[in-house]
Amino acid sequence: MNTDYIEAYAAPTWQCVMVCWGTKYSTALINNLARSIANKTASQPRFILISDRERPDLADRIELVRFPEFWLQDKLKTSGCQAKLVMFEHGIVPTDLPAIYVDLDTIVLGDLSTGLDLMQSRQTVAILQSAIIPFGWIGRSLYRWTNRRRYARGNSSFVIYHPAECHFIAERFKALLEKHPRLEFRPMAADERFISWVAQEHMVRIPNSFAVKFPGEFMFYWGFWLYIKARLPWVKSRRKGLVAVTLNGLMIKPEKLLSLKEGDVIVDEKSRKLIWSEKTLGFMRSKIQAFYAGSL
C-alpha cells in the first residue's frame, strides 16, 4: 500500500494560520516555515496565510486569504500588532477545524499539532504566558474580583484556538475601536493583551516544554548565567523536547544570524545578551542556521 499517497490526500484535521503584512518577511521564508511544519507533523494541516497582498511564489499547499481593509489601518500595524486579530474575523479562517496560529519568526522543531492537546474545550484559547499572574483559576478570579481590570496576560507568537468559537474576539475589538479610536483603552494596546483580556475565562497557558520565546529562553542580562543555565539537567531535557521557538522581538535579520561567529555577543534593546555559542545555545544554534539557510 502506498502510504505516501494516502498521507498526501488525507483530509486535514487541523489548520495552521499565518499572518503577514508589509515586506519584512519574504515568501521564501513563509514557504520554508510551512514546509518545516509539514515535514514534522503526524497529520498534515490546512495552511492559511492571511496577507495584505498577492504572493505569486507562494507554495501551492498554502491558501492565501486577503486582509479585510478594516484590519489594514495604519494604527493597527504598529508595534501593538492589533491587525493579527484578523485571525478571529468572520469568513477568514474556516470554522470546521481547530487552528494553531504561528508567528513567521518561528523555528519548528517537532510536531506542532500536539499543541491541540492543550485545548480543554472548543472555547479554549492557548497562548504563551508573559506576565506574573498565571492563566487558570488565579487569573480568572482576579479578572472577576477587579471587574476585569487585572488579569493574566500572554504572548501571541502562538495561538491555539477554534475559529468557530472565537469570532467574538474580533467583534469586540471592532466595537471598542469605535469608542476608543486612539486605542487608549488599555486592553487594546496590543493584540495579545486584548486576547488575554476578552477571552480570559477561556485562556490556557502554552507550557515552556512545548514552545518558548527565544529572548526569554536563550538571552539574559548576565552572560555567565547563560552558560550555567545551558548545563542544568532539567533545562537540557526540556529544551530537547521543544516543539517550537519564536524569535519574537529579536531585532536581528537572518543574514546577521548566519554571519555570527563562535562567541559573538549581541545585546538587545532590553540589555539582554545573546552569546552565539554552542555552550549557551546547544543544538539550537545549528537549528537556527539550518532553518534560515533554507529560506534565504
Side-chain angles (χ1 to χ4, degrees):
M1 180 180 295
N2 188 337
T3 56
D4 290 338
Y5 177 88
I6 294 175
E7 177 69 17
Y9 289 91
T13 58
W14 64 288
Q15 305 176 84
C16 179
V17 179
M18 300 173 285
V19 174
C20 186
W21 65 83
T23 58
K24 178 181 178 180
Y25 298 100
S26 68
T27 302
L29 186 144
I30 296 170
N31 290 341
N32 190 53
L33 176 58
R35 180 168 57 249
S36 179
I37 293 170
N39 287 344
K40 294 177 175 65
T41 186
S43 59
Q44 292 298 304
R46 172 195 298 142
F47 286 99
I48 303 288
L49 173 67
I50 308 169
S51 175
D52 63 343
R53 66 197 65 200
E54 294 298 323
R55 295 182 175 272
D57 299 324
L58 194 66
D60 291 341
R61 75 175 82 199
I62 305 173
E63 178 183 347
L64 187 143
V65 178
R66 292 295 294 267
F67 260 94
E69 285 300 317
F70 173 88
W71 297 104
L72 291 177
Q73 298 178 61
D74 288 342
K75 61 186 175 184
L76 305 183
K77 298 186 294 180
T78 59
S79 59
C81 293
Q82 294 90 342
K84 282 171 57 176
L85 297 174
V86 70
M87 74 176 85
F88 305 114
E89 179 68 273
H90 277 283
I92 298 298
V93 179
T95 57
D96 57 336
L97 298 173
I100 300 179
Y101 164 82
V102 57
D103 265 355
L104 298 179
D105 51 3
T106 296
I107 296 171
V108 176
L109 308 170
D111 187 350
L112 202 64
S113 70
T114 58
L116 296 172
D117 294 338
L118 296 172
M119 297 190 72
Q120 299 172 355
S121 70
R122 280 170 53 107
Q123 288 74 39
T124 293
V125 179
I127 60 178
L128 296 170
Q129 186 84 38
S130 68
I132 296 175
I133 301 171
F135 288 122
W137 71 269
I138 295 178
R140 290 193 297 270
S141 297
L142 192 60
Y143 181 70
R144 296 165 187 166
W145 293 340
T146 63
N147 193 25
R148 300 182 294 178
R149 291 190 300 273
R150 297 287 183 271
Y151 50 94
R153 301 198 310 272
N155 175 275
S156 62
S157 294
F158 305 95
V159 183
I160 302 172
Y161 70 109
H162 201 298
E165 305 295 337
C166 291
H167 292 142
F168 73 94
I169 297 176
E171 291 171 353
R172 188 70 184 280
F173 183 86
K174 291 167 76 173
L176 284 170
L177 192 61
E178 292 185 5
K179 298 179 180 179
H180 307 280
R182 294 189 298 275
L183 302 169
E184 66 274 19
F185 181 46
R186 188 62 177 164
M188 299 174 71
D191 69 296
E192 53 209 16
R193 181 183 284 267
F194 189 78
I195 295 169
S196 301
W197 176 76
V198 76
Q200 184 70 200
E201 297 286 358
H202 307 291
M203 299 300 299
V204 171
R205 178 180 71 94
I206 295 177
N208 63 2
S209 57
F210 178 84
V212 295
K213 296 175 287 185
F214 184 91
E217 181 68 27
F218 296 101
M219 300 180 72
F220 201 65
Y221 308 101
W222 308 322
F224 72 87
W225 172 245
L226 297 176
Y227 290 99
I228 295 173
K229 183 178 181 180
R231 294 174 65 89
L232 297 175
W234 56 92
V235 172
K236 292 171 67 174
S237 176
R238 178 176 56 78
R239 287 180 176 179
K240 286 181 181 179
L242 283 173
V243 172
V245 177
T246 178
L247 279 70
N248 71 304
L250 194 61
M251 302 303 292
I252 303 172
K253 293 183 178 181
E255 307 92 273
K256 175 66 175 178
L257 286 174
L258 293 178
S259 70
L260 293 176
K261 297 181 176 59
E262 175 69 24
D264 281 351
V265 178
I266 294 177
V267 181
D268 71 4
E269 70 282 357
K270 296 182 179 179
S271 298
R272 296 174 297 189
K273 295 180 179 178
L274 162 63
I275 301 177
W276 191 254
S277 169
E278 189 169 344
K279 292 181 180 179
T280 59
L281 298 175
F283 71 92
M284 187 54 59
R285 186 175 68 163
S286 61
K287 293 292 185 180
I288 292 173
Q289 291 172 325
F291 178 84
Y292 283 122
S295 62
L296 295 178

